[in-house]
Amino acid sequence: MDKYKNLLKVIAIQDLILANPAISPPSVSLDFLSGLSQKLHLNRGAASFLRKYPHIFHIFYDPNKSQPFCKLTDAAMDITRQEAAAISASLPVVVDRLVRLLSMSTTKSLPLRAVFKVWRELGLPDDFEDSVISRNPHIFRLSDDDEPNTHILHLVDEMRDRSFVASVENWRLLECCKEDCIVDRIEMQYSFQHGYPPGMRLSKGFKAKVKEWQRSPYVGPYADVGEMKRSKAGIMGLEKRAVAIVHEFLSLTVEKVVEVEKISHFRKSFAIDFNIRDLFLDHPGMFYLSTKGKRHTVFLREAYHKGCLIEPNPVYSARRKLLDLVVLGRHGMLTNKSKSEEVLQTEKPCSEDENTE
């Protein structure tokens, strides 16, 4: 997370640079970035931050405009091309993710501004309103909301009755098929995968509470919740449904990680009456909540092992290369062969001491 929070700043600057495709090469002035230092959380200023990552950013002087500019290095540009190609190749998967997200909504619709909050997490193209929504009128439609300049994304009527299987169901099926499965089949019907970091001591009371929670029935994230009694069992069922929804939400993301603030924008649409952050804190066996920096970020614990996704995808792999350049910092600048070239040419394995922290 120490490196990840800086990666987010790098991506923000990268997006600003690539937003000027008419300029060759795409670049932005240091004066412009300096004016955004506070918004981008560049505590020591734009120039100081850029110089920390010479494998990603190159500062040059434009004599025609008499001021310094910043562009991406060849290595960083190559990574952006790899990510764009991976996103383009996975468009059918992206469409399915968006359909599933809409299907979890009680109205099969979402505010477009909420989707914009997580477009990168879902692996959507930056022009998804045109390349995904407009090009699939048989799946999606847009309408104006009561609020000015607000649009609502809907599933068309023909898509509303589609049924989906949540990702946790695949895990349950695999667990039940194991020869050494010792979990009761009834308990497995409503269970979620749990895992705790080494050294975390679990009290008997906590274990008993988790066991009771695992056994309790709930309505799945794609099912109609209907009316539920406000009894203890009913409230537990609603809470478990909320957990199932955020679990499925994280499963739909490229990197199985999202900022808590972003997912909170979907609370009303998903009919979640619980504090999102508390859901993550109450289930440490399922979620890892990082509070480093000003952003609270949640990881799907089961998806990671030693700091890497267990089942990586091409988009994640490209983004991981950019993170590797962030980790490099200024290292390797004086060697004969650029370290950034090595990052591009090889897939970096997960080291033994890496973890989601």
Side-chain angles (χ1 to χ4, degrees):
M1 279 305 303
D2 280 333
K3 304 300 180 184
Y4 189 80
K5 65 182 181 182
N6 284 331
L7 172 65
L8 297 177
K9 298 175 185 179
V10 165
I11 291 173
I13 296 173
Q14 173 186 274
D15 288 346
L16 290 172
I17 293 173
L18 296 176
N20 293 310
I23 303 174
S24 182
S27 59
V28 293
S29 70
L30 253 64
D31 284 347
F32 175 75
L33 290 178
S34 295
L36 294 174
S37 290
Q38 187 173 359
K39 185 176 181 180
L40 296 173
H41 306 294
L42 308 179
N43 299 329
R44 296 186 178 180
S48 177
F49 183 83
L50 296 173
R51 292 190 180 100
K52 286 171 61 178
Y53 304 106
H55 293 287
I56 303 173
F57 301 115
H58 175 67
I59 299 173
F60 65 98
Y61 185 81
D62 187 336
N64 295 321
K65 297 182 179 179
S66 302
Q67 61 176 315
F69 278 72
C70 173
K71 66 177 182 178
L72 296 177
T73 63
D74 291 343
M77 281 297 298
D78 194 42
I79 289 173
T80 63
R81 295 188 194 100
Q82 289 179 30
E83 181 181 349
I87 290 174
S88 179
S90 64
L91 278 181
V93 178
V94 167
V95 170
D96 181 69
R97 285 188 193 128
L98 195 52
V99 170
R100 284 173 174 267
L101 200 66
L102 286 160
S103 297
M104 287 195 289
S105 167
T106 56
T107 60
K108 312 303 179 190
S109 63
L110 292 168
L112 189 61
R113 64 173 179 266
V115 180
F116 267 109
K117 290 280 185 181
V118 294
W119 70 272
R120 189 183 295 275
E121 286 81 353
L122 293 174
L124 290 164
D126 54 7
D127 65 341
F128 75 89
E129 196 171 350
D130 294 322
S131 61
V132 175
I133 297 173
S134 297
R135 291 186 185 179
N136 292 280
H138 60 293
I139 300 176
F140 310 110
R141 70 178 177 87
L142 283 173
S143 69
D144 293 329
D145 193 24
D146 295 334
E147 298 181 28
N149 301 318
T150 302
H151 302 287
I152 304 297
L153 178 63
H154 304 261
L155 279 179
V156 299
D157 293 340
E158 293 78 8
M159 297 293 295
R160 286 171 171 257
D161 295 329
R162 282 188 62 184
S163 58
F164 293 98
V165 175
S167 63
V168 68
E169 297 289 351
N170 298 323
W171 170 76
R172 290 169 185 161
L173 182 61
L174 289 173
E175 286 297 302
C176 287
C177 291
K178 289 181 179 179
E179 293 182 2
D180 58 346
C181 180
I182 59 174
V183 180
D184 181 83
R185 292 296 187 272
I186 296 177
E187 182 178 333
M188 180 60 70
Q189 183 179 356
Y190 303 114
S191 290
F192 285 81
Q193 186 173 355
H194 279 65
Y196 299 94
M200 183 175 180
R201 295 183 179 181
L202 307 178
S203 67
K204 289 183 179 180
F206 180 81
K207 290 179 181 179
K209 185 178 179 180
V210 170
K211 190 174 183 67
E212 179 188 7
W213 187 87
Q214 289 278 59
R215 288 174 175 266
S216 64
Y218 71 101
V219 179
Y222 296 111
D224 183 7
V225 66
E227 292 291 331
M228 294 191 72
K229 296 180 180 180
R230 304 302 293 183
S231 61
K232 179 182 177 181
I235 292 173
M236 182 179 289
L238 286 172
E239 189 266 355
K240 193 166 185 178
R241 171 180 166 79
V243 170
I245 289 173
V246 295
H247 179 278
E248 185 70 4
F249 191 109
L250 280 164
S251 298
L252 294 176
T253 62
V254 170
E255 299 168 85
K256 317 307 177 193
V257 58
V258 71
E259 290 176 32
V260 176
E261 182 270 335
K262 291 183 178 182
I263 199 171
S264 296
H265 286 271
F266 294 85
R267 275 186 63 194
K268 183 178 179 180
S269 299
F270 293 157
I272 295 177
D273 293 329
F274 302 87
N275 182 288
I276 296 289
R277 185 173 179 274
D278 288 346
L279 291 177
F280 299 135
L281 290 173
D282 290 343
H283 299 276
M286 296 171 60
F287 310 109
Y288 170 74
L289 182 65
S290 170
T291 57
K292 288 183 181 293
K294 295 185 178 181
R295 297 179 174 92
H296 288 191
T297 308
V298 63
F299 290 78
L300 186 60
R301 193 180 284 278
E302 69 198 53
Y304 277 83
H305 179 66
K306 295 179 180 177
C308 294
L309 274 186
I310 295 172
E311 297 180 3
N313 55 73
V315 179
Y316 164 82
S317 297
R319 292 177 180 176
R320 180 79 191 195
K321 290 178 181 179
L322 186 60
L323 176 60
D324 291 341
L325 292 186
V326 172
V327 173
L328 270 180
R330 295 187 58 83
H331 294 296
M333 292 305 295
L334 300 179
T335 57
N336 291 330
K337 183 176 182 181
S338 172
K339 290 289 184 181
S340 55
E341 291 180 16
E342 295 179 17
V343 167
L344 292 173
Q345 294 170 6
T346 62
E347 293 293 335
K348 181 185 175 186
C350 293
S351 61
E352 291 298 318
D353 60 348
E354 279 188 305
N355 52 53
T356 50
E357 298 179 21

